[in-house]
Amino acid sequence: MGPVLRMGDEVEQIIAAIEDDNPGTEIVVIDRGAYVRVQGEDRITVTQATLRRYLGADHETGSFGGIMSAFSGQVVTTSDSITWESVVGGKQRAPSSDKSPGCQVGWSS
């Protein structure tokens, strides 16, 4: 599970940010030309702080939706992070942190 990103100038930096925020997790990137699929096994997160390190101090996690054309799994957004989680048997996995999510959406491709 993870995001599907439209190809653009920021894609390489976003992938690097995702890799930095998920040490010990194998991140698989599948290049389809017009888009890339970024996948992790159970859960991957990218934080606003890491995105800002790569994309500039004014970058907001809310603007991430502009290049994310789709995703698999469930996405949980907060004011400072975006997390994609696997959905087991059609049910949401138990939250892995005590942060309350700003938005939860489930979809799989």
Side-chain angles (χ1 to χ4, degrees):
M1 48 74 271
V4 176
L5 306 173
R6 290 183 184 98
M7 194 55 80
D9 296 337
E10 301 176 335
V11 168
E12 294 294 327
Q13 292 92 347
I14 291 170
I15 292 168
I18 290 171
E19 290 172 337
D20 281 2
D21 279 338
N22 297 278
T25 299
E26 181 181 2
I27 303 297
V28 177
V29 178
I30 303 167
D31 186 343
R32 300 287 189 203
Y35 67 91
V36 295
R37 181 176 293 276
V38 182
Q39 298 178 315
E41 190 167 321
D42 289 324
R43 179 177 195 267
I44 57 175
T45 297
V46 67
T47 63
Q48 182 166 282
T50 306
L51 286 170
R52 284 181 172 176
R53 262 197 337 263
Y54 283 92
L55 300 172
D58 60 342
H59 188 80
E60 299 291 331
T61 54
S63 65
F64 195 86
I67 67 160
M68 184 174 66
S69 59
F71 60 91
S72 62
Q74 173 175 298
V75 66
V76 178
T77 61
T78 66
S79 61
D80 63 352
S81 70
I82 303 170
T83 300
W84 296 269
E85 298 177 333
S86 64
V87 178
V88 180
K91 296 182 180 181
Q92 174 183 351
R93 293 183 57 200
S96 53
S97 73
D98 58 357
K99 287 186 176 182
S100 61
C103 176
Q104 295 185 11
V105 181
W107 182 85
S108 58
S109 56

